[in-house]
Amino acid sequence: MNVPETVRAAMRTTNDLFNSQVIGKQDVNELDRVYTRNARILPPGAAMIEGREQVKAFWQGAIKALGLKSAKLTTVDAEALGDRVFEIGRADLLVGSVDTVTVKYVVQWKQEEGDWKWHVDIWNANQ
Amino acid sequence: MNVPETVRAAMRTTNDLFNSQVIGKQDVNELDRVYTRNARILPPGAAMIEGREQVKAFWQGAIKALGLKSAKLTTVDAEALGDRVFEIGRADLLVGSVDTVTVKYVVQWKQEEGDWKWHVDIWNANQ
């Protein structure tokens, strides 16, 4: 992993925001601090979604539809590529009251307004 | 897209190999020319798989299990990041005799032995 510790700390801050605020408090407006303005997400079971407002609408619906209670994100590998970071990660989701689901993902990170944010985000479930 | 046309042509060659040889002729040994030696794939419904031999075993099983007949790959966006290329793409799969399935993917491309190959590969279905 060739990503400086300062950047890795910023990435952890963003990931923690997603879990504690977006999922934990169901506050999708906090996605302003998680995704870049022109972010693209590629969710399973849907076409690619472009732009932060559309991404917010997706998560608003998905959190309720899935009964998503928490999403613990763990970096498996991260490499600096040009001015971006390419991350492979693992998400441990709590869905409903007892179900846990393991998801893996690739995120391309980009710095925007001083913060490191998700610029491209694709995932799928292990099961 | 800031990827030189020479690189894009090399990417098309690799993608065509996957469709015509690996899927069309069920010849997984041609994956030597598609994936890097240390490639990682993140398939839906399974854990991450690391290393070209393990990737070959995955595709050997998946082509048969799915009845995969063709995989037409189309680049939606490609950007050069450092010495890699980050691609968002679309795969139109023919499964069995009539079913078509639309898949989207992210591939991190890396040059190895002069060829451009898939170094990290993650995908999911639109439906």
Side-chain angles (χ1 to χ4, degrees):
Chain A
M1 300 204 194
N2 63 346
V3 179
E5 177 50 32
T6 49
V7 175
R8 293 186 55 95
M11 291 166 62
R12 283 193 295 272
T13 299
T14 303
N15 285 349
D16 290 347
L17 259 176
F18 182 76
N19 190 19
S20 66
Q21 303 301 311
V22 180
I23 307 297
K25 298 192 175 167
Q26 299 190 24
D27 181 1
V28 294
N29 284 323
E30 288 287 332
L31 290 173
D32 290 342
R33 298 161 70 192
V34 173
Y35 283 100
T36 63
R37 261 187 303 275
N38 300 315
R40 287 174 285 190
I41 65 172
L42 295 86
M48 181 166 73
I49 293 165
E50 305 191 55
R52 197 159 56 202
E53 293 311 310
Q54 285 70 29
V55 169
K56 284 184 190 179
F58 167 82
W59 281 113
Q60 185 95 53
I63 292 167
K64 285 183 184 156
L66 298 172
L68 194 54
K69 297 295 190 302
S70 77
K72 188 187 159 213
L73 307 179
T74 308
T75 298
V76 172
D77 191 22
E79 30 177 2
L81 298 180
D83 61 357
R84 310 292 167 85
V85 171
F86 183 95
E87 180 198 18
I88 296 175
R90 166 198 170 102
D92 293 292
L93 310 182
L94 181 62
V95 174
S97 51
V98 290
D99 280 355
T100 55
V101 176
T102 305
V103 165
K104 54 198 177 307
Y105 63 82
V106 163
V107 167
Q108 184 200 120
W109 292 75
K110 183 182 180 183
Q111 201 173 21
E112 185 184 79
E113 293 161 0
D115 293 324
W116 281 91
K117 299 182 183 178
W118 307 348
H119 191 50
V120 181
D121 181 16
I122 181 171
W123 66 92
N124 62 43
N126 285 16
Q127 299 80 10
Chain B
M1 298 203 196
N2 63 346
V3 179
E5 178 51 31
T6 50
V7 175
R8 294 185 55 94
M11 290 166 62
R12 283 194 294 273
T13 298
T14 302
N15 285 348
D16 290 347
L17 258 177
F18 182 77
N19 190 18
S20 65
Q21 303 301 310
V22 179
I23 307 298
K25 298 191 174 167
Q26 299 190 23
D27 182 0
V28 293
N29 284 322
E30 288 287 332
L31 290 172
D32 289 341
R33 299 160 70 192
V34 173
Y35 284 100
T36 63
R37 262 187 302 276
N38 300 316
R40 285 173 286 189
I41 65 172
L42 296 85
M48 182 166 71
I49 293 166
E50 304 192 55
R52 196 157 58 202
E53 294 310 311
Q54 285 68 29
V55 169
K56 284 184 190 179
F58 168 82
W59 280 112
Q60 184 95 51
I63 291 167
K64 285 182 183 157
L66 298 172
L68 194 53
K69 297 295 192 303
S70 77
K72 186 186 160 213
L73 307 180
T74 308
T75 298
V76 172
D77 190 23
E79 30 177 3
L81 297 180
D83 61 357
R84 310 294 167 85
V85 171
F86 183 95
E87 180 198 18
I88 296 174
R90 167 199 169 102
D92 293 293
L93 309 182
L94 181 61
V95 174
S97 52
V98 291
D99 279 355
T100 55
V101 176
T102 305
V103 165
K104 55 198 176 308
Y105 63 82
V106 163
V107 167
Q108 184 201 118
W109 293 74
K110 183 182 180 183
Q111 201 173 22
E112 184 183 79
E113 294 161 358
D115 293 325
W116 282 90
K117 299 182 182 179
W118 305 350
H119 191 50
V120 180
D121 181 16
I122 180 171
W123 67 92
N124 62 43
N126 284 17
Q127 299 82 10

